[in-house]
Structures are given as C-alpha cells and as structure tokens.
Amino acid sequence: TPIMVSYHGWMESNIKGGIARLTSILSRYTEVWVANSEESRQDLSQLVDPRQILVSEHYAGQEFFDTEAPTFVVEGLAPPDAYLVLYAGRIDKEKNADTLLDSIPEILQLNRNVVFAFCGEGELGPRVKELEEIYPSKVRHLGYVSDKSDLAALFRRADVVWSYGDEHYLARPAVEALASGRPIIITDQPAVTAKKGVQYRITHSLFPDTVGAIVKTGSIPETVALILSLLDAPDRFDSNFIRDYARDRYSPRNLDIIIDLVRAYAERDERQVKAMLTAGNR
C-alpha cells in the first residue's frame, strides 16, 4: 500500500534536527510527498528524493465560491451597517494574532462602527474573551467553526479577513476568504515560529494589493491606520475581482493532481504514476 505524506513546514532550521531524522525514517516507507508550494517542494527536496514530491497548492472548497445568502450563523453577529473584521485561524502569537488584538482598543476609541469577530481557538483565546467583556457587541469570540458552510457564511458577512501565511504561500483561511470575495490583511512576518526574528518577510509578490493588504507585524499605528482607511474607502476592493482571482489561483482544481495520482495507484497503473511524478517535477 503506497503511503503519501502531506508536507507543510520549513526544514532549513531543522536540517540536522529531529524533524530531519523523522523525515528520513518516513522516506523509507513513503512513495509520494505533497508540498503546498514550489518553494516548499524545494525545501523538502533537501531531505527526500525530489522525484517523489508533488505540489498541490492550497485551495478553497466550492462552498466558499458560492454567493448564496448568509446562513443563521451570522444573525446577530454585527449590525448590518457595521464594518466587520473577521480573524480566522489559530489565535496565537505564532500566527501574529496579537497585532490585531493589541490594536482593537485604539480602533474602537476612534470608530465605534467596527466589530471584531474571532473564529478559532488558541493561546490568545482568553485575551479575546477579555476584550469581549470590555467591549460587548464589538468583540466576539466564535470559537472553532467546523462546518464549512457556516465558515463560508462568516467570510461572506465580513468586510475584511485578518489572516496569515508564509512568504511563499497563504494559509488556508486566507485562501478561503479570497474565494468568498473578501479582501485579506496579512502581517508581514511569516507565521512560522522558526522564522521569528529572521529576515523573512511577506510582500506583495505573494498576492496583489488588489485583493488585500500587508501590515508590519506588531505595528499598532499601521494596523489602526489601515483598518480606519478601509472604513473610509468601501470601494477599495472589488469582491468579484477577488473571487475571480481566487478561482484562477485557489480553486478545487489544485487538488486534481492528487486525485488523479490516487486513482492511478488504485488502478495499479505504475506507468501513469511515474508519468505524473515526472511531469510534476519539471
């Protein structure tokens, strides 16, 4: 039975550590490794045979591309005319959630027509709940949302989604936000612990400024200024353009290469498997 391993990480700082040893052991039993970007493939190729690696970028499910009316999960979340900033993902310092959390008091002091909703759990969850008590109806902690349709409805209600990524790829919540036609805000420091304090930075080479913005990690003034500027410029981003961009870059088609490979394995078509692995590494 073939074993496939999905790789989401960074090897450079662990090339001689435990991750490297674990990867070496896994490679004895693994036929295919799946990376989420070309850069991740190059990174992983330091430890495993490059001919075993395929790239399948993050994708959003069809429910995020749908434009149906929001479901009951968003009822009462925020007044219809309120500007909703949605955080989606693990709520912790690694994901730079503290930059947004630390900016909330100043934003609300300057403009009370903003609502912040946090979708997820993490070490900074208690901080969200503290803010929720201080600013009732302005800060909402939604917890972990497992239903994709409910999550898609939350994205569609949001005016902007705060998320994160690496310098080579956006995190899944950011991709799902784009598929929902919503602009994203990404902090410039990669959400990878090993890269903290290093020179790696996210720039608009990762995504165009027509679908989102980048703020300096930890910069409260920059975050406050950006969010307030978005309130004053409701037409800065076009939801149809954003959704088209996501459909071209992050549609479920990104999964096709994996589906086709699994089908080839199921049919014991070794020639097709070899051809796909060869084509995927040109």
Side-chain angles (χ1 to χ4, degrees), residues 1-7 23-36 38 40-42 44-56 257-258 261 265 273-282:
T1 301
I3 297 177
M4 300 174 66
V5 175
S6 180
Y7 166 74
T23 303
S24 177
I25 294 172
L26 276 174
S27 65
R28 302 173 194 170
Y29 309 98
T30 302
E31 291 195 22
V32 180
W33 297 77
V34 181
N36 59 4
E38 175 59 29
S40 293
R41 187 193 72 79
Q42 294 173 4
L44 180 60
S45 67
Q46 299 176 80
L47 295 175
V48 303
D49 187 343
R51 293 171 297 181
Q52 293 180 294
I53 307 172
L54 287 179
V55 174
S56 176
I257 188 171
I258 308 303
L261 183 64
Y265 270 119
V273 169
K274 184 176 180 180
M276 292 184 64
L277 289 174
T278 300
N281 288 286
R282 287 176 180 170

Side-chain angles (χ1 to χ4, degrees), residues 11 27 30 58 64 69 72 78 80 83 97 102 108 130 169 179 182 190-191 226-227 254 279:
M11 288 293 185
S27 65
T30 302
H58 283 159
F64 295 95
F72 70 92
Y83 190 88
D102 293 342
L108 291 177
E130 288 177 7
Y169 59 87
R182 295 300 174 259
L226 172 62
I227 291 179
N254 288 357

Side-chain angles (χ1 to χ4, degrees), residues 40-255:
S40 293
R41 187 193 72 79
Q42 294 173 4
D43 181 43
L44 180 60
S45 67
Q46 299 176 80
L47 295 175
V48 303
D49 187 343
R51 293 171 297 181
Q52 293 180 294
I53 307 172
L54 287 179
V55 174
S56 176
E57 291 196 43
H58 283 159
Y59 69 94
Q62 186 56 47
E63 58 268 57
F64 295 95
F65 288 98
D66 293 339
T67 57
E68 62 187 30
T71 63
F72 70 92
V73 297
V74 300
E75 293 179 4
L77 179 61
D81 62 340
Y83 190 88
L84 180 61
V85 180
L86 176 67
Y87 178 95
R90 202 167 76 239
I91 310 173
D92 59 24
K93 291 182 179 179
E94 182 186 47
K95 305 306 180 186
N96 304 317
D98 49 335
T99 299
L100 176 60
L101 288 169
D102 293 342
S103 303
I104 288 176
E106 186 171 339
I107 293 173
L108 291 177
Q109 184 178 7
L110 296 170
N111 194 313
R112 298 288 294 183
N113 197 38
V114 189
V115 174
F116 299 87
F118 289 80
C119 180
E121 299 286 359
E123 64 175 334
L124 294 179
R127 173 63 173 151
V128 177
K129 293 176 182 178
E130 288 177 7
L131 290 170
E132 191 174 32
E133 292 179 2
I134 298 171
Y135 305 101
S137 77
K138 297 299 180 182
V139 178
R140 306 291 300 273
H141 183 230
L142 308 179
Y144 181 75
V145 178
S146 58
D147 187 281
K148 294 295 185 181
S149 296
D150 289 345
L151 187 59
L154 290 169
F155 281 136
R156 285 193 295 271
R157 171 57 187 90
D159 291 283
V160 66
V161 176
W162 184 287
S163 193
Y164 47 88
D166 188 29
E167 77 267 28
H168 300 308
Y169 59 87
L170 290 172
R172 182 66 64 83
V175 167
E176 292 170 343
L178 295 175
S180 303
R182 295 300 174 259
I184 56 176
I185 297 177
I186 302 292
T187 47
D188 70 345
Q189 190 172 60
V192 180
T193 298
K195 292 185 176 181
K196 300 298 183 183
V198 192
Q199 69 271 21
Y200 300 95
R201 285 294 179 268
I202 295 172
T203 68
H204 274 299
S205 63
L206 179 61
F207 63 92
D209 58 9
T210 49
V211 304
I214 297 172
V215 295
K216 184 178 180 180
T217 304
S219 176
I220 308 309
E222 189 174 327
T223 300
V224 172
L226 172 62
I227 291 179
L228 293 180
S229 72
L230 293 179
L231 268 75
D232 293 334
D235 298 326
R236 174 172 172 177
F237 297 104
D238 181 271
S239 60
N240 290 325
F241 178 87
I242 294 173
R243 186 175 283 109
D244 287 343
Y245 170 82
R247 187 175 289 110
D248 180 62
R249 180 76 185 269
Y250 298 115
S251 82
R253 293 193 305 271
N254 288 357
L255 193 60

